[in-house]
Amino acid sequence: MKLIIGLITVTASIIVGYLMAHGKLAVLFQPAEFVIIGGAAIGAFVVANPGHVIKRVIGGIPLLLKGSPYNKDAYMELLALMYELFTRARKEGLMALEPHVEDPESSDLFAKYPAVHNNHQVRDFIADYLRMIVGGNMNAFEMENLMDVELEAHEKEATKPGAAVTTMGDGLPGFGIVAAVLGVIITMGYIDAGAEELGNHIGAALVGTFLGILLAYGFVGPIGHALTEQAEEEGQFLQCAKMCILSTLNGYGPQIAVEFGRKAIAHTHRPGFVELEEHLRGEGG
């Protein structure tokens, strides 16, 4: 919704301001300019990026329309899941976690927390490292190093779609100039025409520059930035899970372990200590 509101605001502001200056909307309707600028930008985007990045861009834009899934409620679910996993391990032994970490997608425990269960990146991250703990073959220092390597690799991969869209946006003003130059070339063929017709052709050519700049800074650039923010929020979510897992591996109890995780959450989404404690009690922790 935020994305839609922002794009509508950009469009409405441009149109209203243009009309206030007694501009004619018909002059801005130049399908050929859209074809040149849009087609060239999309073509360059396809050439510059591998298929998996293109797919992630296409899949990521609908998620922007829904809003970020990494909100306060999602963090509460994550911490509640970690608390329940750690409590079960303390009461019944680490082997009690084995059926859940071996097949987290089918786990009834993971299924209680859809914000984690439906996110395969987060779900698999938790399951993989808990599986190592159950195996008992790694210490906290080794596991932290491995987590950092994975999170760094995840960040590089997850931020590529946003960077790709941003790069495409950076090229749009250039393609707008290309469209404008082509329009000037066409205009030169009407150099002997009347002033009105010549003015229409010059106006149409300048629309290319206008569209390139508008699309770059009003639409494509902000979308690229939003995709990058989306990836960074996922990374923060994984950081929270990381802190919980490392804390329990270092011997802290379930309540303290999730408190470490809570401290890793940005203030925007971080629940209060008492709020989290009440939530955990409500979940039957």
Side-chain angles (χ1 to χ4, degrees), residues 46-63:
V46 171
V47 171
N49 297 285
H52 68 90
V53 172
I54 297 173
K55 290 180 180 178
R56 292 197 64 169
V57 170
I58 295 173
I61 291 177
L63 295 178

Side-chain angles (χ1 to χ4, degrees), residues 191-216:
I191 197 70
D192 294 330
E196 183 177 354
E197 186 174 356
L198 191 61
N200 289 335
H201 285 289
I202 293 174
L206 292 175
V207 168
T209 303
F210 159 74
L211 287 176
I213 296 173
L214 174 61
L215 292 173

Side-chain angles (χ1 to χ4, degrees), residues 60-244:
I61 291 177
L63 295 178
L64 294 179
L65 298 174
K66 297 179 181 178
S68 175
Y70 304 106
N71 50 31
K72 186 176 181 179
D73 291 338
Y75 276 105
M76 295 282 268
E77 285 194 28
L78 173 63
L79 294 175
L81 169 63
M82 304 306 289
Y83 180 80
E84 187 167 351
L85 285 166
F86 300 155
T87 301
R88 185 167 300 191
R90 173 159 289 201
K91 290 180 178 179
E92 304 174 21
L94 286 173
M95 295 307 296
L97 300 182
E98 187 173 15
H100 301 289
V101 299
E102 290 296 334
D103 188 12
E105 189 173 1
S106 303
S107 166
D108 58 339
L109 198 157
F110 275 83
K112 289 174 58 178
Y113 306 98
V116 178
H117 183 260
N118 296 334
N119 188 322
H120 75 91
Q121 292 271 12
V122 178
R123 183 189 67 216
D124 293 346
F125 179 87
I126 295 171
D128 286 348
Y129 288 101
L130 288 180
R131 191 182 300 115
M132 292 181 188
I133 294 177
V134 172
N137 296 323
M138 296 185 70
N139 59 42
F141 180 75
E142 292 171 333
M143 183 169 288
E144 183 174 11
N145 285 339
L146 183 58
M147 284 180 164
D148 288 340
V149 170
E150 180 174 353
L151 290 175
E152 183 179 355
H154 173 270
E155 181 182 5
K156 288 181 179 179
E157 181 182 6
T159 55
K160 281 183 178 179
V165 173
T166 300
T167 300
M168 181 175 71
D170 292 341
L172 281 168
F175 290 124
I177 293 173
V178 170
V181 170
L182 292 176
V184 171
I185 293 172
I186 294 173
T187 302
M188 297 305 293
Y190 294 87
I191 197 70
D192 294 330
E196 183 177 354
E197 186 174 356
L198 191 61
N200 289 335
H201 285 289
I202 293 174
L206 292 175
V207 168
T209 303
F210 159 74
L211 287 176
I213 296 173
L214 174 61
L215 292 173
Y217 299 110
F219 293 87
V220 179
I223 289 175
H225 182 73
L227 288 172
T228 301
E229 286 289 325
Q230 185 182 76
E232 291 176 352
E233 287 182 355
E234 183 175 76
Q236 288 296 315
F237 203 70
L238 292 172
Q239 283 284 353
C240 178
K242 167 192 167 183
M243 292 303 300
C244 292

